[in-house]
Amino acid sequence: MDTKPPPRKGADFCSLRYGLALIMHFSNFTMITQRVSLSIAIIAMVNSTQQDDPLNASTEEPLTDTFRHSSRSSEDFKTRASVYQWSPETQGIIFSSISYGIILTLIPSGYLAGIFEAKQMLGAGLLISSLLTLFTPLAADFGVILVIVIRTVQGMAQGMAWTGQFTIWAKWAPPLERSKLTSIAGSGAAFGSFIILCVGGLISQALGWPFIFYIFGSIGCVCCLLWYTMIYDDPMHHPCISAREKEHIVSSLAQQPSSPRRSVPIKAMVRCLPLWAIFTGFFSHFWLCTIIITYLPTYISTVLHVNMRDSGVLSSLPFVAAASCTILGGQLADFLLSRNFLSLISVRKLFSSLGLLLPSLCAVALPFVASSYMTTIILLILIPGTSNLCDSGFIINTLDVAPRYASFLMGISRGFGLIAGIVSSTTTGFLISQDSESGWRNVFFLSAAVNMFGLIFYLTFGQAEIQDWAAERTLTRL
């Protein structure tokens, strides 16, 4: 059938592919909560009044003292889990270690997903990440080195799971529904960030910080059960899919050009400035976003002097703004394109500019309004909210310049973002360890400078036309 993809049908949201999107939403929710759990727990895990002691000293009470005070109430006991004297530099290394693991698996897992099936890879990655989350409190007692190792392996597992999603959508998502389906699945990360930051502090105060890991690790195991029982790699082999939906997906995907799996024009990609503009945008965007998602609870607790429970609730608010701006930005971008108000490249550059410039202005302003509680909170909410306008800019620009290699290039783009996350987390830990006030100021100024570099580079070299090397039959052997 050499016709255009069939129009959308009324019962879309009752279809199996939307069920897949919801389960993948839950998977992304689970992975981000497991990743951010440490950012909440670290406030209780680290005794900030004692610094520069051995790398993993614990301030647990001596055993004899415990026996002497055996009548202590259970409520006092549950809030006295181990406290570790980890310096800000050490915390920065711990935070960034999960990004090291994700980077190690981004490209290899894309290849392996075609060998071992994406369902198995994503499920295995989620299961490993969940089990390691459950083991984290015990690992902290053994030493900071083991925590770093666990976080790195956890990152490798999550990298496997993240990359496997694109392989599944390549077989399940009709072209006219890809942005809708992937946005439903991807929004699980923003929702997960909101939930963990909102309830993490409450869990820590009510049950003790180890239960943050126990609860969200257990949720991940439940998600794995759902994943393995309800998900199949392609619609052709799913026992519950209707004939109508199967025909709709298969006929839609039949219109897409295909190419040999290994035919990737690496040399042409390396020489392509529009691609480097996208990579630079990812690097700049992830630099500030990683700082916010990793250090926001610490910033609110130490700079605004807010208790742990309120710190978690306040830290969750920016991710409500982030999810809202993602949806609104996508709607506005589609509106501008559908009405021909702006060209495709103008829309991409407009939303990239808003997503890099606005959060930079908010970040630069933060050190000057630290005395105003309300103004600081508003700016902290606006930073991730406005940053997510990039989702309608360079974030999806690979679909414009090289749609045939979008998944491969998205993995590389995210790799650049993760490198930025590693460097920014480590740099932030180092800067705030020198002096808290000037350290935070330097962190935000440096983030704004990185954003401005990425914006200028993207505005100069960004394009939205399909590149010659990405057109049909323009292939170079790897």
Side-chain angles (χ1 to χ4, degrees):
M1 299 179 193
D2 293 328
T3 58
K4 293 182 179 180
R8 283 172 285 187
K9 299 172 183 177
D12 279 346
F13 288 101
C14 298
S15 62
L16 201 59
R17 60 189 182 277
Y18 279 88
L20 170 62
L22 289 175
I23 294 177
M24 205 170 287
H25 172 99
F26 189 28
S27 301
N28 288 323
F29 166 91
T30 300
M31 287 189 289
I32 197 67
T33 55
Q34 292 172 358
R35 182 175 181 177
V36 181
S37 291
L38 189 62
S39 296
I40 287 288
I42 200 78
I43 299 174
M45 294 172 71
V46 175
N47 186 350
S48 59
T49 63
Q50 302 180 39
Q51 300 286 344
D52 304 321
D53 278 0
L55 194 60
N56 190 52
S58 172
T59 58
E60 291 177 291
E61 293 185 45
L63 184 61
T64 55
D65 192 54
T66 301
F67 286 131
R68 192 179 304 127
H69 295 85
S70 58
S71 61
R72 178 186 289 120
S73 70
S74 61
E75 182 162 339
D76 180 56
F77 174 77
K78 70 187 176 187
T79 61
R80 292 189 58 80
S82 299
V83 176
Y84 310 98
Q85 296 169 9
W86 295 339
S87 68
E89 296 100 319
T90 301
Q91 294 175 47
I93 295 172
I94 295 173
F95 287 144
S96 62
S97 59
I98 195 168
S99 297
Y100 285 106
I102 296 176
I103 287 177
L104 291 174
T105 55
L106 272 179
I107 296 178
S109 59
Y111 174 78
L112 294 174
I115 300 177
F116 298 107
E117 298 184 346
K119 169 187 174 177
Q120 302 301 328
M121 284 199 60
L122 200 155
L126 182 57
L127 179 61
I128 293 170
S129 177
S130 301
L131 294 176
L132 291 176
T133 300
L134 292 170
F135 185 66
T136 299
L138 180 61
D141 284 335
F142 279 94
V144 70
I145 300 299
L146 184 56
V147 174
I148 293 173
V149 170
I150 281 181
R151 294 282 288 180
T152 302
V153 177
Q154 189 175 25
M156 295 173 67
Q158 293 199 3
M160 290 167 48
W162 187 84
T163 306
Q165 295 183 30
F166 292 95
T167 305
I168 289 177
W169 284 128
K171 298 177 181 179
W172 273 93
L176 295 180
E177 300 176 29
R178 278 181 182 161
S179 58
K180 190 189 302 181
L181 290 166
T182 55
S183 65
I184 292 173
S187 63
F191 182 60
S193 298
F194 166 73
I195 293 297
I196 182 62
L197 291 170
C198 188
V199 305
L202 300 176
I203 293 172
S204 181
Q205 283 199 333
L207 303 173
W209 63 260
F211 279 87
I212 300 177
F213 298 98
Y214 298 151
I215 290 174
F216 289 100
S218 300
I219 290 175
C221 293
V222 173
C223 185
C224 287
L225 183 62
L226 282 175
W227 182 264
Y228 278 115
T229 56
M230 300 180 66
I231 301 301
Y232 285 74
D233 273 293
D234 61 72
M236 297 299 295
H237 298 94
H238 203 294
C240 300
I241 190 171
S242 67
R244 179 171 173 264
E245 182 179 6
K246 183 190 297 185
E247 172 62 24
H248 172 60
I249 296 174
V250 172
S251 61
S252 297
L253 295 178
Q255 312 301 320
Q256 300 300 295
S258 59
S259 59
R261 179 175 179 81
R262 297 177 185 272
S263 300
V264 181
I266 297 295
K267 292 182 179 179
M269 290 178 176
V270 171
R271 293 192 296 262
C272 182
L273 281 175
L275 271 188
W276 283 103
I278 295 172
F279 298 155
T280 305
F282 265 85
F283 185 92
S284 303
H285 174 68
F286 271 72
W287 181 286
L288 181 55
C289 286
T290 302
I291 292 174
I292 292 299
I293 197 171
T294 303
Y295 282 97
L296 185 57
T298 301
Y299 183 82
I300 291 177
S301 176
T302 58
V303 176
L304 299 182
H305 307 293
V306 175
N307 64 47
M308 186 174 182
R309 180 193 61 193
D310 294 340
S311 173
V313 174
L314 291 174
S315 297
S316 69
L317 296 179
F319 297 96
V320 178
S324 302
C325 285
T326 300
I327 297 172
L328 294 176
Q331 294 292 328
L332 179 57
D334 284 347
F335 173 78
L336 294 174
L337 288 172
S338 63
R339 300 299 179 91
N340 294 318
F341 289 146
L342 293 173
S343 64
L344 181 58
I345 186 57
S346 297
V347 169
R348 295 289 179 254
K349 290 187 175 181
L350 171 63
F351 282 88
S352 298
S353 299
L354 294 174
L356 291 175
L357 179 60
L358 294 180
S360 298
L361 295 175
C362 294
V364 168
L366 270 174
F368 301 103
V369 298
S371 59
S372 173
Y373 178 88
M374 187 57 65
T375 305
T376 299
I377 294 299
I378 291 174
L379 290 177
L380 289 173
I381 291 174
L382 288 176
I383 288 176
T386 54
S387 289
N388 274 28
L389 293 174
C390 290
D391 284 10
S392 298
F394 57 79
I395 297 292
I396 59 172
N397 199 192
T398 53
L399 292 172
D400 306 321
V401 300
R404 296 175 64 199
Y405 306 105
S407 296
F408 176 78
L409 293 173
M410 186 65 76
I412 296 177
S413 300
R414 188 170 175 84
F416 275 87
L418 290 168
I419 291 172
I422 291 171
V423 177
S424 65
S425 293
T426 306
T427 302
T428 299
F430 172 77
L431 289 175
I432 64 176
S433 69
Q434 306 303 305
D435 178 78
S436 180
E437 183 176 349
S438 64
W440 283 114
R441 182 174 63 248
N442 293 335
V443 165
F444 293 128
F445 285 1
L446 178 59
S447 299
V450 171
N451 270 12
M452 288 302 95
F453 172 78
L455 175 57
I456 293 170
F457 196 92
Y458 183 76
L459 291 178
T460 304
F461 298 108
Q463 295 182 16
E465 298 82 17
I466 295 180
Q467 302 300 293
D468 291 340
W469 49 264
E472 188 82 18
R473 298 177 188 174
T474 304
L475 299 172
T476 301
R477 209 184 254 304
L478 177 61

